[in-house]
Amino acid sequence: MASTPLMAEFPELAQLSREDLEDLLVDPVYFQATFHALNQVKSLYQAQAELGSANESIARHNLALQDSLYKLRTETQEAFDEAKALEKRWKDLEKEQKEVYQRFSPQFLLMRLRHATAAQDDLSEARASAFVQGSTEEAASSLSGKDIDDFVREFKELRKVYHKRMMWGDRWAAGQVEWRDD
């Protein structure tokens, strides 16, 4: 029998007669029996069984890790959610801080000083007007030296505060006030 590529690749078939080879083509059971007896097929099935075994081992290992992975996923999600909440809180605090700092900015403080100076001037002038009107109504009747001394002391104190504020405003306008950020 001449050597063919089939016989070279499957030397077990070289021992079969022509009739046996023809029977292989016609009888599926005989073909299957001969096919499964080939060394290459046996080694292929062996490799497939080993791979299946390895896959099962990997699957068992993965299943063993499943609970801890789910727990870790939950913890990670919780940490992520907490980080997002903290990030939002940080932004809110930054906004709040900016609003608080704005009340202490040089421009805002200058505006407050100017308003306070004007209010102090109005207060002292109102007090003086009230005293003058009160003294004209009482004219000579019952205005004592003590009343005058009290008014002078109070008016003097009001004007002193007004003039201090004016001096600070003038210094500020002249660039003599320096604000530090520390």
Side-chain angles (χ1 to χ4, degrees), residues 60-160:
R60 275 192 296 277
H61 178 70
N62 287 346
L63 285 174
L65 294 175
Q66 185 176 14
D67 289 338
S68 62
L69 288 173
Y70 283 145
K71 181 181 174 190
L72 186 59
R73 178 191 290 168
T74 302
E75 290 171 359
T76 303
Q77 185 64 50
E78 289 170 358
F80 180 77
D81 292 344
E82 182 182 358
K84 283 295 191 185
L86 288 173
E87 184 178 41
K88 183 185 181 316
R89 175 78 175 128
W90 180 17
K91 287 180 181 179
D92 292 343
L93 286 174
E94 264 186 338
K95 181 181 176 186
E96 187 179 322
Q97 180 184 26
K98 184 179 179 182
E99 290 170 2
V100 168
Y101 281 168
Q102 186 176 354
R103 290 185 297 186
F104 297 103
S105 71
Q107 297 82 7
F108 187 78
L109 291 174
L110 178 58
M111 181 189 69
R112 284 185 57 200
L113 177 61
R114 287 182 178 155
H115 285 291
T117 303
Q120 189 70 23
D121 187 39
D122 293 344
L123 179 65
S124 66
E125 291 301 318
R127 180 67 181 108
S129 293
F131 178 75
V132 170
Q133 283 188 354
S135 65
T136 57
E137 290 172 5
E138 295 180 18
S141 63
S142 65
L143 207 66
S144 71
K146 183 178 182 300
D147 290 337
I148 294 172
D149 289 344
D150 287 345
F151 164 73
V152 169
R153 187 170 37 273
E154 183 183 349
F155 184 75
K156 186 178 174 183
E157 195 57 39
L158 290 171
R159 292 311 286 180
K160 185 168 87 174

Side-chain angles (χ1 to χ4, degrees), residues 45-61:
Y45 280 134
Q46 179 64 31
Q48 185 180 15
E50 289 172 4
L51 285 174
S53 239
N55 280 344
E56 284 180 27
S57 174
I58 291 170
R60 275 192 296 277
H61 178 70

